[in-house]
Amino acid sequence: MGEDKKLVFTKSQVKDLENELKDLKLVKRDEVAEKIKVARAQGDLSENAEYDAAKDEQAKIEARIREIENMLKNKEVIRDKDMDASVIGIGRAFKIRDMELKETMEYEMVNSTNANTLMGKISDESPVGKGLVGHKKGETVKIELGDREVKYKILDVQKA
C-alpha cells in the first residue's frame, strides 16, 4: 500500500482527537473490559447477549483507536496565523444562502474524515466544499452538482 494521504487539521481539531484517543485508551477500554468480565461471570457465553454486546463495543473502541492513531500519524496541522480569516477553508465556520431555494445554511469546513453534514460539518473534498474553499463573504459561487448548477451567496466566514 502506498503512502497514506495527509489529513489537514486545525490545532484545536488535533487536540480534540488526542483527547478522544486518551479517553478511549484510559477510560473506555477499562469500562468495556469490566463489562466483559461481569458478563463472563454469568456463565454460558454462547447465549449471553451482554457478553456479545460488550465484545462488539470493545471491537468498535479498538477500531476507533486505530482510526484516530492513523489520522494523527498522517496529520498536517494548519495554523490560524497562516490562514486568511475571511476565506472559507478548514477550520472556518461559514453561512451560505442557496439562491434558488432561498435557504440559509451554516457549516464548518473540515477534512473528509470529520465530515458530517447532519452536524454541520462539510468536507473540503466534497463537491460543495471544493467549490466554496477560497471564497469570501459577499461572493456568489456557482457549483456544478451533476447535471445542475447551484448558486450560493456567502453571508459570513469566521473561525470555527
Side-chain angles (χ1 to χ4, degrees):
M1 186 183 282
E3 183 179 317
D4 287 324
K5 181 180 85 171
K6 287 289 183 193
L7 297 172
V8 180
F9 293 97
T10 62
K11 199 173 182 180
S12 68
Q13 289 170 331
V14 169
K15 187 74 173 156
D16 290 344
L17 282 173
E18 290 170 343
N19 287 339
E20 181 182 354
L21 183 61
K22 183 178 177 183
D23 182 59
L24 288 168
K25 286 182 167 183
L26 300 178
V27 178
K28 300 295 186 205
R29 265 185 178 163
D30 288 344
E31 287 175 357
V32 79
E34 183 61 28
K35 288 179 186 179
I36 290 170
K37 181 179 167 186
V38 168
R40 269 196 185 128
Q42 294 175 3
D44 185 9
L45 299 181
S46 65
E47 294 183 17
N48 189 328
E50 289 172 16
Y51 177 78
D52 291 340
K55 290 299 280 183
D56 287 347
E57 184 180 353
Q58 182 182 47
K60 287 177 185 171
I61 288 170
E62 294 305 321
R64 182 64 179 155
I65 287 171
R66 285 189 305 277
E67 180 183 33
I68 293 172
E69 287 175 339
N70 191 47
M71 285 190 285
L72 291 173
K73 181 180 81 175
N74 295 301
K75 75 182 181 292
E76 179 179 321
V77 180
I78 53 173
R79 299 178 310 186
D80 258 348
K81 69 180 185 176
D82 295 336
M83 297 171 49
D84 183 341
S86 67
V87 175
I88 293 178
I90 289 190
R92 295 290 176 245
F94 57 95
K95 189 184 295 187
I96 55 175
R97 181 161 181 82
D98 183 313
M99 301 306 287
E100 183 181 328
L101 299 177
K102 307 291 188 229
E103 211 173 89
T104 300
M105 300 158 284
E106 293 184 42
Y107 293 105
E108 176 184 349
M109 188 67 67
V110 296
N111 63 41
S112 60
T113 62
N114 291 323
N116 182 339
T117 53
L118 296 176
M119 300 292 291
K121 296 177 184 279
I122 189 169
S123 168
D124 63 329
E125 295 180 17
S126 70
V128 172
K130 280 182 185 177
L132 292 171
V133 167
H135 290 279
K136 297 181 176 193
K137 178 179 176 178
E139 292 182 4
T140 298
V141 180
K142 295 178 187 176
I143 301 171
E144 296 289 329
L145 296 177
D147 61 346
R148 66 187 186 103
E149 182 180 84
V150 181
K151 277 199 238 177
Y152 294 110
K153 171 97 174 177
I154 301 171
L155 304 177
D156 192 24
V157 179
Q158 58 190 5
K159 182 179 172 185

